[in-house]
């Protein structure tokens, strides 16, 4: 009996050891599964980061190569322009200098004639060269040579030659002849296909360079062109779109760091962000255009100086033959400026209408207002152009305001629903959606109930399953009792063996029970902590929405100020230009 009892004790101890080992193995497997999952997630994150870094490296290498190629191309293009059109620049530099030489009388007529003839031979196709020969002949009182030279300049470029002669004659205080050339110039123009030199006309209007008769002629012509072009709705829409692009350019994303909970929890955050970004456009618009209209631009003391500036802009205008190279040069400079981004550079050059060979009159007005440096006009002309374009500005601003106001979401939601891992178990909180326009107390109550409703079953899943766990020990104890009783025919020994087996199982089960209780307490605490964190985030999102609303209303309220400012722009365009009806003074 002693041997049997010892054997039974050994068997029961082995069973106990195996049970404990199995329980430990199961727990270890669970931990290993979690660890493997974390390592797999970490591996995926590292691979994603590696892929991102690789793409960034490839992109940076591509951008650097683009910049390097463009820097090389810039040098090539500059050399090509200098080689093919460098003599044009010489003619441009000589033109106004020749006029000023006539004024001060420091250069002889023979020198002027010689320089003009040399430039004529060096630039056989350029319109300005024979024009300079004509000026030299005029200074030498050679009527026949002057007439032939001016006709040749007119043949090469009717528009520029006519405008050049009109300005020259006005500068020489011959207003009647100046207006005749101006009328000839205007009659030959197509308002839908004006040369880039037409910007000089706007400059001349701004400075009253043609006297009262010339100003009246230009206003009549420009009013007629405007009426004709505005009959085409597509033309108007194109100008409104240009001003809309000007307004859109002021939009910048608000500080997303100021609204972290709205950004993370609300599906409507993109709409809220866009609305605030656009509402904040009004203030910088007001600052820019009020500063422009308030800027003091003192007029030049002499009309001759103003006309010299205008002539300088006319003769410095690139010839159409140069435009392809100039456009390509501008593109490669944009590539360097934008760090190798070809798409942005292409869009930048495409938006610069100064590289178009022809423009319609309304586009020239808009370009003078929005991009004066590209088209080569002064700040004075820009201000008058802005005033002339006030209707398109107003329409673009009204559409801009309407669009962002209509895009405001009527309801702002917050969404909660995340996965939580505790031990070897994962808790998936079902999605909960709340509307922030409802009372915060009600939202907090509903979210707390949502956590309690779905969190309690998860906590209960950690409870010790006593009925299921007792089944195997009971079967084991009964088996030992029957087996010992049959083999030994001793009820006492059988009961003793059964009690020993039952005690061992009881110790094992009690350990498992304590572990389960501890895990359940941890799960309960974790769920409660997560619920409180969700409630905190809900309150934070509500507070951020209130802050967003205050910012939006404050920014949107400046819309009326923009409308008032545009109305002031329209009135500012009625002021007389600084040289209007001024008489050229004798020295």
């Amino acid at each position: 009996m002693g041997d049997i009892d010892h054997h039974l004790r050994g068997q029961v101890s082995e069973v106990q050891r195996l049970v404990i080992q199995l329980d430990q193995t199961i727990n270890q497997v669970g931990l290993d599964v979690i660890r493997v999952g974390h390592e797999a997630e970490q591996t995926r994150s590292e691979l994603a980061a590696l892929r991102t870094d690789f793409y960034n490296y490839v992109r940076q290498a591509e951008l650097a190569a683009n910049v390097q190629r463009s820097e090389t191309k810039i040098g090539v293009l500059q050399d090509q322009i200098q080689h093919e059109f460098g003599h044009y620049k010489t003619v441009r530099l000589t033109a106004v200098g020749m006029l000023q030489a006539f004024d001060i009388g420091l250069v002889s007529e023979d020198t002027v004639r010689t320089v003009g003839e040399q430039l004529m031979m060096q630039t056989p196709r350029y319109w300005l060269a024979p024009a300079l020969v004509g000026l030299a002949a005029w200074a030498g009182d050679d009527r026949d040579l002057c007439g032939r030279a001016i006709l040749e300049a007119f043949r090469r470029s009717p528009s520029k030659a006519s405008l050049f002669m009109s300005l020259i004659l006005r500068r020489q205080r011959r207003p009647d002849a100046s207006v005749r050339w101006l009328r000839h110039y205007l009659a030959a123009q197509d308002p839908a296909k004006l040369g880039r030199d037409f910007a000089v006309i706007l400059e001349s209007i701004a400075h009253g360079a043609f006297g009262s008769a010339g100003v009246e002629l230009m206003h009549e012509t420009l009013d007629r062109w405007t009426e004709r072009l505005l009959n085409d709705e597509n033309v108007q829409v194109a100008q409104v779109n240009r001003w809309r692009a000007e307004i859109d350019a002021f939009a910048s994303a608000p500080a997303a760091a100021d609204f972290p909970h709205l950004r993370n929890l609300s599906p409507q955050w993109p709409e809220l962000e866009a609305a605030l970004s656009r509402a904040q456009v009004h203030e910088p618009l007001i600052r820019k255009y009020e500063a422009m209209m308030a800027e003091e631009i003192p007029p030049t003391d002499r009309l001759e100086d103003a006309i010299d500036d205008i002539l300088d802009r006319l003769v410095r205008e690139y010839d159409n033959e140069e435009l392809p190279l100039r456009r390509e040069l501008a593109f490669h400079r944009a590539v360097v400026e934008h760090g190798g981004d070809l798409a942005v550079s292409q869009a930048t050059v495409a938006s610069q209408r100064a590289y178009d060979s022809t423009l319609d009159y309304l586009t020239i007005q808009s370009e003078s207002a929005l991009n004066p440096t590209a088209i080569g006009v002064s700040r004075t002309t820009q201000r008058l152009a802005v005033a002339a374009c006030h209707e398109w500005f107003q329409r673009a601003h009204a559409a801009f305001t309407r669009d962002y106001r209509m895009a405001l979401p009527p309801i702002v939601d917050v969404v909660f629903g995340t996965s939580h891992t505790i031990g070897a178990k994962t808790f998936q909180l079902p999605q909960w959606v709340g509307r922030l326009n409802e009372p915060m107390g009600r939202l907090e109550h509903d979210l707390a109930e949502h956590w309690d409703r779905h969190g309690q079953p998860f906590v209960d899943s950690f409870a010790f399953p006593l009925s299921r766990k007792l089944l195997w020990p009971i079967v084991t104890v009964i088996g030992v009792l029957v087996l010992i009783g049959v083999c030994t025919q001793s009820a006492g020994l059988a009961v003793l063996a059964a009690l020993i087996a039952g005690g061992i199982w009881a110790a094992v089960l009690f350990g498992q029970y304590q572990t389960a209780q501890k895990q359940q307490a941890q799960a309960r605490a974790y769920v409660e902590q997560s619920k409180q964190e969700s409630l905190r985030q809900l309150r934070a999102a509500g507070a951020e929405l209130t802050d967003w609303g205050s910012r939006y209303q404050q920014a949107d309220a400046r819309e009326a100020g923009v409308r008032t400012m545009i109305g002031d722009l329209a009135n500012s365009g009625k002021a007389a230009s600084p040289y209007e009806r001024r008489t050229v003074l004798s020295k």
Side-chain angles (χ1 to χ4, degrees), residues 545-565:
L545 181 61
T546 301
D547 184 37
W548 177 92
S550 298
R551 289 198 196 182
Y552 173 80
Q553 291 175 3
Q554 183 179 5
D556 184 64
R558 298 295 287 153
E559 182 268 341
V562 177
R563 284 190 279 111
T564 301
M565 180 266 296

Side-chain angles (χ1 to χ4, degrees), residues 210-445:
F210 292 115
S212 57
V215 170
E216 182 178 357
L217 171 63
M218 286 191 295
H219 278 307
E220 290 176 357
T221 304
L222 297 182
D223 290 344
R224 185 169 64 253
W225 288 357
T226 301
E227 182 178 359
R228 169 184 166 184
L229 292 174
L230 289 181
N231 288 330
D232 187 347
E233 182 63 23
N234 292 331
V235 174
Q236 294 195 57
V237 170
Q239 304 313 315
V240 172
N241 289 341
R242 289 179 61 77
W243 282 91
R244 177 63 181 267
E246 160 77 357
I247 298 172
D248 287 336
F250 282 86
S252 59
D258 295 342
F259 309 97
H261 297 90
L262 275 179
R263 183 187 61 211
N264 294 331
L265 298 175
S266 177
Q268 287 79 33
W269 169 247
E271 290 87 347
L272 295 175
E273 183 180 34
L276 181 57
S277 173
R278 282 158 176 75
Q280 291 175 338
V281 162
H282 303 304
E283 185 61 33
L285 267 180
I286 293 174
R287 288 199 302 268
K288 174 182 176 178
Y289 286 95
E290 284 188 346
M292 177 189 299
M293 304 313 292
E295 181 182 359
E296 291 291 338
I297 304 178
T300 309
D301 292 336
R302 299 193 318 146
L303 180 58
E304 292 93 329
D305 294 337
I307 295 180
D308 282 352
D309 291 339
I310 298 171
L311 280 168
D312 189 49
R313 289 186 178 91
L314 174 63
V315 300
R316 280 192 289 107
E317 184 67 51
Y318 300 139
D319 198 71
N320 286 341
E321 294 177 336
E322 299 179 63
L323 280 180
L325 292 177
R326 293 287 180 181
R327 187 183 296 109
E328 187 177 359
L329 179 61
F331 168 72
H332 288 289
R333 283 175 172 168
V335 171
V336 174
E337 180 181 352
H338 294 289
D341 194 321
L342 300 182
V344 174
S345 302
Q346 191 66 47
T348 300
V349 175
S351 66
Q352 296 177 357
R353 305 302 298 274
Y355 294 101
D356 293 345
S357 58
T358 61
L359 300 170
D360 64 82
Y361 167 61
L362 302 184
T363 298
I364 290 179
Q365 280 278 30
S366 293
E367 192 72 14
S368 299
L370 298 176
N371 196 10
T373 55
I375 205 167
V377 297
S378 66
R379 295 285 288 177
T380 302
T381 302
Q382 182 188 17
R383 293 200 299 191
L384 293 180
V386 169
C389 298
H390 73 276
E391 182 178 350
W392 305 325
F393 193 0
Q394 186 275 328
R395 288 175 58 181
H397 179 257
F400 171 83
T401 304
R402 179 200 64 217
D403 289 348
Y404 79 72
R405 286 176 176 174
M406 290 181 64
L408 274 175
I411 296 172
V412 179
D413 296 330
V414 284
V415 178
F416 289 89
T418 55
S419 296
H420 302 269
T421 301
I422 304 175
K425 295 184 179 182
T426 299
F427 167 52
Q428 178 66 49
L429 177 70
Q431 189 178 85
W432 179 87
V433 179
R435 294 182 174 180
L436 289 180
N437 59 325
E438 296 181 1
M440 183 56 64
R442 182 189 303 171
L443 291 175
E444 291 183 20
H445 180 266

Side-chain angles (χ1 to χ4, degrees), residues 443-508:
L443 291 175
E444 291 183 20
H445 180 266
D446 289 347
L447 180 57
E449 280 193 343
H450 181 76
W451 269 100
D452 293 340
R453 184 166 56 254
H454 297 284
Q456 188 59 46
F458 178 69
V459 173
D460 292 342
S461 68
F462 285 89
F464 186 71
L466 184 59
S467 58
R468 182 168 56 84
K469 291 288 188 179
L470 284 175
L471 178 60
W472 179 249
I474 291 174
V475 171
T476 302
V477 170
I478 292 174
V480 170
L481 183 63
V482 172
L483 178 64
I484 300 300
V486 171
C487 292
T488 64
Q489 300 295 316
S490 173
L493 183 59
V495 171
L496 178 60
L499 289 175
I500 293 173
I504 294 173
W505 271 107
V508 172

Side-chain angles (χ1 to χ4, degrees), residues 83-149:
H83 176 72
E84 296 183 14
F85 303 104
H87 47 289
Y88 284 17
K89 183 178 180 180
T90 303
V91 178
R92 293 167 187 155
L93 294 174
T94 305
V96 176
M98 185 178 291
L99 293 173
Q100 294 174 352
F102 291 160
D103 287 344
I104 59 180
L106 295 180
V107 180
S108 66
E109 295 176 0
D110 291 339
T111 300
V112 171
R113 181 189 294 269
T114 300
V115 170
E117 291 173 350
Q118 289 177 347
L119 293 176
M120 177 69 187
M121 290 184 291
Q122 293 173 1
T123 54
R125 299 189 306 274
Y126 195 29
W127 71 273
L128 188 55
L132 295 184
V133 173
L135 290 181
W138 186 9
D141 200 23
D142 189 339
R143 184 182 183 91
D144 179 64
L145 178 59
C146 178
R148 288 188 288 110

Side-chain angles (χ1 to χ4, degrees), residues 9-23 500-501 503-508:
R9 287 178 181 274
Q11 291 294 100
V12 172
S13 297
E14 181 64 20
V15 169
Q16 181 184 9
R17 186 185 65 79
L18 292 175
V19 171
I20 294 173
Q21 183 179 359
L22 178 62
D23 186 60
I500 293 173
I504 294 173
W505 271 107
V508 172

